[in-house]
Amino acid sequence: MQRCLTATIALHRAFRQKTFTIHCKHTAAMSTLLINQPKYAWLKELGLAEDNNGVYHGTWGGQGEVITSYCPANNEPIARVRQATLSEYEETVQKSKEAWKVWADIPAPKRGEIVRQIGDALRKKIDVLGRLVSLEMGKIYVEGVGEVQEYIDVCDYAVGLSRMIGGPILPSESKCTVQCHALLEQWNPVGLVGIITAFNFPVAVYGWNNALALICGNVCLWKGAPSTPLTSVAVTKIVAEVLEHNSLPGAICSMTCGGADVGTAMAKDERVNLLSFTGSTQVGKSVGMMVQERFGRQLLELGGNNAIIVFEDADLNLVVPSAVFASVGTAGQRCTTTRRLILHESVHDTVVERIAKAYKQVRIGDPWDATTMYGPLHTKQAVEQYLAAVEKAKEQGGTVVCGGKVIDRPGNYVEPTIITGLAHDAPIVHTETFVPILYVLKFKEEEEAFGWNNEVKQGLSSSIFTKDMGRVFRWLGPKGSDCGIVNVNIPTSGAEIGGAFGGEKHTGGGRESGSDSWKQYMRRSTCTINYSKELPLAQGIKFE
């Protein structure tokens, strides 16, 4: 994508954001904010108010556009946030770089102790913060709480890791009369980590990056999604309290709420030593090019067009709940949502019938109701995308087995949808639409199914259901799935924090959370130390 197209996209997004902001201001002025209603008084336990500052770097501020956060379940305004101006962004970066000088000097295990305290502070607020995620993003309450739990779990993981980071001491080939050279690898923090997160996981994705970046010795600058600003503010308040309690600079974990202007500034800023971006592939391409232009480091977590493959020997009692959970959970708004269900011809009709029956039993309702299994889409625009995708699927030969309609109730509710009869390479099947539509495909041979899994541009998550162990290892091997997450007899969603999370191809190639993902937040130096009075050269070279 050329530079002019990137600029056009940025300008379009800025205009759309400004238009949306003006609309929000007008609507909110005519409505009662939810935060002022007794039912939502618990929001104040998170330090939220009618009007909230959207900039933090040790002190709170916000002089930019005022945006209103809306509840997807009823489209009523919750509260307002003042975003950052570019001058405030500049001030935040400067304070973050100054804070790094303090943080980098603290031993890693001591940094781990601060992260442990952040985890404990989140534990105390897990229920109320989970409720906010549910209210502002639209996912059901148990998923909101689960998302906060992920941040807590990664904090625990990072605490242990803070005592384990190390580089190898390697055997040196240099030859002296006695041992004379030490060859080792040294890992150091990159410095300032910029973190741009998406609306669908407004707590967890920040947590993955924040906890690991901190114990590695970095400071963080966070820009959350413009449509979930209250969650960004609430999380930052929790983290800020821990830093203040330990007499540490607040700019170690700074925040600038904002739109495309702030995101573009972060991508182009050479002082941002690593930019971690989570979002759509389309925007990720633009971000990646801007970072690459300055030879910066990037960690991209982008889209996924994920598939479950069901073979003739699969346990259907595992398949049905797995497929329903992975396709309906979070109303289809996970990057790991199952969007393609590839069924062997011998089980196709049975599985479709059972899943369609299960879809009709999904309890749809207010996301903060404990009995609800399925909530709204995040925005009205997502509802429009859902309807457009259903129509395109019909035009391309698909049959709607169930769903396909908007639900007549307040909020952004649509029916979870199953569509059969499409070709594996139909354009709509190869399009990641971030809504609860499941395309069901029919296959005959293993090689065919594996090929269909891999033919889409994204490579995030994948799964097969089978009892054939030979097939399992072919699936895990070089001619199997080309995804970053390759599962067997479990769904495509629900990744554990101990394994590195991320994918290949248009998913971006980044890895967050567990395993050795910490290496992305550090820079490696190969160090050779001569502790003799001789000067032997590598490869036996003589220079005399």
Side-chain angles (χ1 to χ4, degrees):
M1 191 178 293
Q2 295 177 352
R3 221 180 287 178
C4 59
L5 180 56
T6 301
T8 301
I9 290 171
L11 286 170
H12 173 70
R13 290 179 183 280
F15 173 78
R16 188 172 62 184
Q17 178 63 41
K18 187 172 183 179
T19 304
F20 176 72
T21 301
I22 293 169
H23 169 74
C24 290
K25 284 182 182 178
H26 176 69
T27 306
M30 300 169 61
S31 307
T32 302
L33 296 174
L34 294 184
I35 196 168
N36 291 325
Q37 298 180 18
K39 181 179 178 180
Y40 304 101
W42 51 266
L43 287 165
K44 296 176 182 177
E45 296 176 32
L46 292 165
L48 299 175
E50 286 183 42
D51 293 287
N52 301 274
N53 290 317
V55 178
Y56 179 75
H57 46 55
T59 56
W60 289 88
Q63 298 175 3
E65 293 278 0
V66 176
I67 59 170
T68 301
S69 177
Y70 283 82
C71 171
N74 52 32
N75 284 321
E76 293 184 21
I78 306 170
R80 294 179 290 263
V81 175
R82 289 183 290 270
Q83 296 189 125
T85 62
L86 288 178
S87 62
E88 286 178 305
Y89 165 78
E90 176 66 27
E91 181 184 8
T92 303
V93 171
Q94 291 175 6
K95 294 203 170 182
S96 295
K97 298 299 275 189
E98 286 299 313
W100 179 77
K101 296 175 184 177
V102 175
W103 187 242
D105 281 340
I106 296 174
K110 297 296 183 183
R111 297 194 294 258
E113 165 59 18
I114 302 302
V115 172
R116 184 194 67 77
Q117 291 180 35
I118 291 172
D120 285 347
L122 289 164
R123 282 183 175 90
K124 294 174 184 176
K125 300 282 189 179
I126 186 169
D127 290 326
V128 68
L129 188 54
R131 264 188 277 171
L132 173 59
V133 172
S134 181
L135 182 71
E136 187 175 41
M137 184 271 152
K139 63 177 58 176
I140 61 174
Y141 169 69
V142 291
E143 287 188 337
V145 171
E147 187 177 337
V148 182
Q149 186 64 52
E150 273 196 62
Y151 191 172
I152 294 168
D153 291 344
V154 174
C155 283
D156 289 346
Y157 180 90
V159 172
L161 185 62
S162 69
R163 292 182 177 271
M164 297 171 63
I165 289 175
I169 296 177
L170 305 166
S172 172
E173 67 178 59
S174 298
K175 185 178 180 181
C176 304
T177 52
V178 293
Q179 187 76 24
C180 61
H181 278 192
L183 179 63
L184 56 91
E185 288 184 353
Q186 173 73 26
W187 291 86
N188 286 305
V190 295
L192 173 58
V193 175
I195 304 168
I196 301 177
T197 58
F199 74 87
N200 59 331
F201 281 87
V203 173
V205 173
Y206 174 65
W208 296 347
N209 286 275
N210 174 252
L212 293 190
L214 287 179
I215 62 100
C216 289
N218 302 294
V219 295
C220 299
L221 169 56
W222 181 22
K223 189 193 91 67
S227 57
T228 54
L230 297 175
T231 301
S232 298
V233 171
V235 170
T236 300
K237 283 181 177 289
I238 292 169
V239 175
E241 277 190 26
V242 173
L243 296 174
E244 290 166 10
H245 177 74
N246 286 275
S247 300
L248 289 167
I252 289 170
C253 295
S254 57
M255 176 195 69
T256 51
C257 291
D261 56 343
V262 174
T264 299
M266 292 174 72
K268 292 183 175 181
D269 195 337
E270 292 190 354
R271 296 167 299 177
V272 177
N273 305 104
L274 167 67
L275 184 66
S276 174
F277 174 85
T278 301
S280 70
T281 297
Q282 180 186 7
V283 179
K285 282 183 180 179
S286 299
V287 169
M289 289 186 69
M290 286 186 277
V291 176
Q292 180 56 41
E293 247 186 347
R294 61 178 176 87
F295 290 98
R297 295 178 62 164
Q298 56 190 285
L299 196 168
L300 300 177
E301 291 289 356
L302 310 177
N305 194 343
N306 315 295
I308 289 178
I309 303 173
V310 180
F311 287 91
E312 65 274 17
D313 63 341
D315 182 346
L316 300 190
N317 290 327
L318 287 178
V319 169
V320 174
S322 294
V324 173
F325 168 73
S327 56
V328 169
T330 325
Q333 298 169 113
R334 287 173 176 254
C335 53
T336 53
T337 291
T338 297
R339 310 203 181 277
R340 297 176 296 146
L341 182 60
I342 304 173
L343 303 175
H344 189 268
E345 59 184 3
S346 65
V347 298
H348 177 277
D349 293 350
T350 301
V351 172
V352 170
E353 181 181 351
R354 290 181 61 175
I355 291 178
K357 183 179 179 181
Y359 264 45
K360 293 172 183 176
Q361 297 172 10
V362 172
R363 294 186 297 277
I364 301 171
D366 293 336
W368 48 86
D369 185 328
T371 64
T372 298
M373 297 172 63
Y374 174 93
L377 294 179
H378 187 53
T379 62
K380 292 178 180 179
Q381 290 84 353
V383 175
E384 294 170 4
Q385 291 169 1
Y386 165 86
L387 290 172
V390 170
E391 287 307 308
K392 286 181 182 177
K394 290 178 183 177
E395 292 169 6
Q396 293 169 24
T399 299
V400 177
V401 173
C402 68
K405 300 184 184 70
V406 174
I407 299 173
D408 185 16
R409 60 174 292 161
N412 308 318
Y413 287 87
V414 300
E415 295 175 342
T417 301
I418 300 172
I419 298 178
T420 61
L422 286 162
H424 67 91
D425 56 355
I428 193 64
V429 173
H430 280 226
T431 302
E432 183 200 16
T433 308
F434 223 59
V435 294
I437 300 176
L438 179 65
Y439 303 114
V440 182
L441 313 175
K442 186 189 295 186
F443 78 94
K444 292 183 179 181
E445 304 294 337
E446 175 187 301
E447 184 177 356
E448 180 180 44
F450 285 9
W452 293 359
N453 177 78
N454 296 346
E455 70 183 3
V456 297
K457 290 184 177 180
Q458 299 89 348
L460 179 52
S461 188
S462 57
S463 180
I464 62 168
F465 282 77
T466 185
K467 297 173 185 173
D468 184 332
M469 291 308 296
R471 178 178 290 135
V472 167
F473 283 96
R474 288 192 294 275
W475 172 243
L476 303 179
K479 295 181 180 179
S481 173
D482 64 359
C483 296
I485 298 171
V486 184
N487 292 337
V488 178
N489 295 330
I490 61 168
T492 56
S493 54
E496 298 183 30
I497 65 104
F501 181 90
E504 302 299 326
K505 303 187 297 189
H506 285 214
T507 301
R511 292 297 186 275
E512 295 170 323
S513 195
S515 186
D516 66 347
S517 60
W518 60 269
K519 292 181 179 179
Q520 293 184 103
Y521 302 92
M522 304 194 83
R523 57 179 178 83
R524 171 169 48 186
S525 303
T526 299
C527 310
T528 306
I529 302 170
N530 179 11
Y531 51 88
S532 76
K533 295 182 179 180
E534 301 178 52
L535 190 62
L537 301 176
Q539 291 83 47
I541 293 173
K542 301 291 184 181
F543 194 75
E544 298 174 349

